[in-house]
Amino acid sequence: MQSNLPHLQSIFTADCVIFGFNEGELKVLLIERNEYPFKDWWGLPGFFVEHNETIDDAVKRILLEYTGLKGIYMEQLYTFGDLQRHPQGRIITVAYYAMLRLESANINLKPLSTYVRKAQWHPLNNLPELAFDHKNIIDKSIDKIRRKVSHSPIAFELLPEKFTLTQLQQLYEAIWDKKLDKRNFRKKMLKYNVLKELDEKQKGVSYRAAKLYKFDKRKYNRIFKNELNFSK
């Protein structure tokens, strides 16, 4: 009986939210659209999932075609299905997110598709008006990161391999969108004993060079696993 069932064609999209951190600011990767709907608008890298590909494969294809990025681990975030989210009808989108070190991602921003004029990082606290419901998707993504950063060391994925305590505090302030007490923040981070102090200092700065640190992932996994609380 099942062989007589009609073949159903699903129409939905995948959208990618990619966060980076640079110069004390949390940033989001956006594309300038070159096709309707929302031509000339900024939005998230996203498009329709082909009938012959999985959603995960679609995300890889979309990132490569619209930003030039590849080999990025994307985690599924949420499914958005508001009735009015797309002007062409009810189109559900599955959103994915990732966190990148900008020092390794900037050089690869080169869209391969004419659907996109350019890909560019934008400060999270100063975004342009966005296409579709992409602002809502970004808000949902940052909420997810704020929850995860409270109990896991995902914030270190946004920092250079070697960083200062000031950079670390600026990152947490950007994620939480609030100022943190310098003394208390450093005391709390250092007491976990997962920051390895290096015999190095900043180079090429006009102010007093600060000590550099590295996140000791092996020590974190050995000592804390899922027990460490990075909450504000």
Side-chain angles (χ1 to χ4, degrees):
M1 293 179 63
Q2 291 185 359
S3 61
N4 296 325
L5 293 175
H7 181 69
L8 301 178
Q9 295 283 9
S10 57
I11 300 177
F12 61 97
T13 61
D15 285 302
C16 309
V17 189
I18 303 180
F19 292 102
F21 180 74
N22 188 34
E23 298 178 346
E25 290 186 314
L26 195 60
K27 298 184 178 182
V28 182
L29 183 59
L30 301 177
I31 60 169
E32 187 178 18
R33 297 169 58 87
N34 196 34
E35 298 286 345
Y36 294 104
F38 293 101
K39 183 178 181 181
D40 302 328
W41 286 56
W42 289 95
L44 295 171
F47 200 65
F48 290 96
V49 177
E50 301 291 346
H51 296 303
N52 61 347
E53 65 181 350
T54 66
I55 305 177
D56 288 349
D57 287 341
V59 168
K60 295 175 184 177
R61 172 180 58 81
I62 290 167
L63 273 183
L64 179 60
E65 292 179 357
Y66 292 180
T67 70
L69 296 175
K70 59 182 179 179
I72 297 172
Y73 172 73
M74 300 288 293
E75 183 174 336
Q76 192 171 128
L77 169 71
Y78 196 75
T79 300
F80 296 82
D82 188 85
L83 295 176
Q84 306 299 325
R85 67 168 305 276
H86 199 289
Q88 292 177 271
R90 185 178 188 181
I91 298 179
I92 294 171
T93 194
V94 182
Y96 283 65
Y97 77 102
M99 302 168 69
L100 292 185
R101 290 188 172 102
L102 286 188
E103 61 180 9
S104 62
N106 266 336
I107 58 174
N108 296 321
L109 290 184
K110 188 176 181 180
L112 308 177
S113 171
T114 57
Y115 186 87
V116 177
R117 284 206 183 100
K118 60 182 175 181
Q120 184 174 299
W121 295 98
H122 289 253
L124 180 64
N125 60 4
N126 189 27
L127 295 176
E129 189 173 3
L130 300 177
F132 305 105
D133 57 348
H134 289 182
K135 179 61 167 62
N136 183 37
I137 295 175
I138 292 173
D139 289 343
K140 193 81 172 181
S141 301
I142 193 63
D143 285 344
K144 174 80 169 182
I145 288 176
R146 284 171 179 161
R147 290 196 301 271
K148 289 193 69 174
V149 81
S150 296
H151 58 79
S152 69
I154 62 169
F156 294 97
E157 297 174 17
L158 292 167
L159 289 171
E161 183 180 3
K162 301 175 183 179
F163 54 86
T164 67
L165 292 179
T166 296
Q167 288 175 311
L168 181 60
Q169 180 172 338
Q170 288 175 340
L171 173 57
Y172 273 85
E173 288 177 340
I175 292 174
W176 288 113
D177 194 25
K178 63 177 294 184
K179 286 290 184 181
L180 301 173
D181 180 79
K182 179 178 178 179
R183 182 175 178 274
N184 289 338
F185 176 83
R186 295 189 174 200
K187 181 179 179 181
K188 184 172 186 176
M189 286 296 172
L190 291 174
K191 80 173 184 178
Y192 291 134
N193 200 29
V194 294
L195 298 182
K196 182 178 180 181
E197 184 177 339
L198 304 176
D199 189 23
E200 299 179 47
K201 290 188 177 182
Q202 287 175 300
K203 296 180 181 179
V205 294
S206 57
Y207 47 85
R208 183 180 178 182
K211 291 182 180 179
L212 293 174
Y213 293 79
K214 289 179 68 174
F215 173 61
D216 194 331
K217 190 174 182 179
R218 289 185 178 180
K219 182 176 288 188
Y220 168 81
N221 290 333
R222 185 174 67 250
I223 299 176
F224 296 102
K225 294 186 177 179
N226 295 322
E227 300 174 6
L228 189 54
N229 183 4
F230 283 100
S231 64
K232 56 181 178 177

